[in-house]
Amino acid sequence: MLSPRASQIRRMFTAVAPRYDFLNHLLSFNMDRLWRRRAVRLLRQTISARDALCLDVCCGTGDLSLELSRQGTASIVSCDFSHAMMVLNRKKIIRQHVEHRIRIVEADALCLPFASRSFDAVTIGFGLRNLESAREGLEEIWRVLKPDGKLVVLEFSKPVTPIFKTLFRFYFSCLLPRVGNAISRHDHAYTYLPDSVSEFPDQLQLLGIMRECGFGRVGFVNLSGGVAAIHYGEKLDDGETTNRMADRFVQS
Ligand SMILES: C[S@@+](CC[C@H](N)C(=O)[O-])C[C@H]1O[C@@H](n2cnc3c(N)ncnc32)[C@H](O)[C@@H]1O
């Protein structure tokens, strides 16, 4: 059962689905394509295995799943809870003739219908911020990853240089909502975007949450001056994780 907030988020994404890709590329000046490419490149070693199985959570219209496929991932599960997004995703999969590689599953990211330790890698692009609890989302991802499995989170973040920060704030909080709401014909979806980004943890805070959720070898890369960031980490093998959990228990 979805919470009232999750149902509202699903309704919003369902409403903007038909114009989602167009607005993504327009409002990011096409940078979103480069960001996804870089995010997947970080998984190069894992996805190059012949039998690599990846999960793309909050996949939306599937651009990150398609990028995983383009960079050679053998099998991908593309997962989202908005049916409208998944219909568009399916059309793109068929258009690009990759039905044999990408399977789509409609599901809530906080309650994934997969056995524990199933995936070699998990990606989540511009999705974590939308979950009721980013921490619970990361814990659920941790559960479905195999030991040593890799996580890549692509998400809007906080710009790091002062002048750019001011210019970007004007664009992101004043211009983008007007253009986005008008073109999507939704009264608040693109007002929700900057609001949700400002409430989301910054680069270092997210890194800390990932560690607390049991991810090791974590790090992040700023994109376009910190407008977005890629966070990455690994599910430590169970022995290491147990030790880390014990450390945390002792420290607290
Ligand atoms: C901003 S879009 C990102 C889509 C895609 N990953 C991309 O890179 O463009 C966020 C997606 O997350 C999905 N989403 C939000 N909360 C979710 C949840 N609890 N479970 C599954 N999907 C969710 C929405 O339906 C939407 O398609």
Side-chain angles (χ1 to χ4, degrees):
M1 246 296 260
L2 289 180
S3 69
R5 182 183 179 270
S7 302
Q8 195 192 341
I9 296 280
R10 181 164 67 173
R11 272 197 302 279
M12 183 184 78
F13 279 109
T14 296
V16 302
R19 290 178 187 79
Y20 176 78
D21 282 345
F22 173 74
L23 276 167
N24 249 357
H25 306 325
L26 177 78
L27 296 173
S28 74
F29 307 100
N30 261 329
M31 293 306 288
D32 64 312
R33 297 180 202 263
L34 299 180
W35 295 341
R36 287 194 195 85
R37 208 171 299 154
R38 266 197 86 181
V40 173
R41 241 187 264 143
L42 285 177
L43 292 171
R44 204 167 18 201
Q45 218 182 339
T46 307
I47 63 180
S48 63
R50 275 182 46 208
D51 56 353
L53 175 61
C54 295
L55 171 67
D56 181 25
V57 186
C58 295
C59 65
T61 59
D63 281 356
L64 199 49
S65 306
L66 289 164
E67 187 57 40
L68 280 162
S69 163
R70 219 169 282 132
Q71 292 194 34
T73 314
S75 301
I76 300 140
V77 177
S78 202
C79 169
D80 198 286
F81 70 178
S82 161
H83 182 70
M85 286 282 193
M86 294 302 251
V87 169
L88 294 164
N89 184 2
R90 176 105 191 112
K91 282 188 184 156
K92 283 154 83 174
I93 292 170
I94 293 171
R95 216 178 306 136
Q96 298 192 22
H97 308 291
V98 285
E99 305 93 307
H100 58 294
R101 283 186 187 224
I102 308 180
R103 188 161 66 89
I104 59 177
V105 173
E106 273 182 44
D108 179 6
L110 297 186
C111 187
L112 294 169
F114 309 113
S116 302
R117 304 165 168 226
S118 296
F119 296 94
D120 298 293
V122 176
T123 56
I124 178 163
F126 308 108
L128 198 58
R129 168 180 46 89
N130 299 298
L131 303 184
E132 185 109 44
S133 157
R135 194 178 291 270
E136 281 174 33
L138 289 170
E139 284 169 357
E140 186 61 346
I141 290 172
W142 191 91
R143 182 184 69 77
V144 299
L145 272 172
K146 291 179 187 171
D148 294 326
K150 310 278 189 296
L151 163 68
V152 163
V153 180
L154 170 60
E155 190 51 90
F156 286 109
S157 202
K158 308 285 195 288
V160 284
T161 41
I163 296 175
F164 178 62
K165 209 188 238 178
T166 311
L167 288 173
F168 180 73
R169 195 180 307 134
F170 173 71
Y171 169 69
F172 204 53
S173 306
C174 299
L175 287 183
L176 178 146
R178 285 175 203 208
V179 177
N181 289 336
I183 296 180
S184 67
R185 297 187 201 129
H186 194 279
D187 60 356
H188 68 266
Y190 287 82
T191 310
Y192 161 82
L193 171 58
D195 289 351
S196 60
V197 174
S198 75
E199 284 162 21
F200 193 67
D202 67 20
Q203 288 88 328
L204 287 175
Q205 288 166 337
L206 181 56
L207 206 66
I209 297 172
M210 286 172 64
R211 278 205 191 94
E212 285 167 16
C213 291
F215 289 95
R217 299 183 194 103
V218 292
F220 71 88
V221 182
N222 279 323
L223 301 168
S224 307
V227 167
I230 303 170
H231 282 73
Y232 53 87
E234 288 178 26
K235 176 174 181 171
L236 300 176
D237 77 44
D238 285 352
E240 276 180 78
T241 306
T242 312
N243 290 339
R244 287 177 61 87
M245 299 272 183
D247 284 353
R248 222 187 311 143
F249 184 71
V250 168
Q251 281 161 15
S252 58

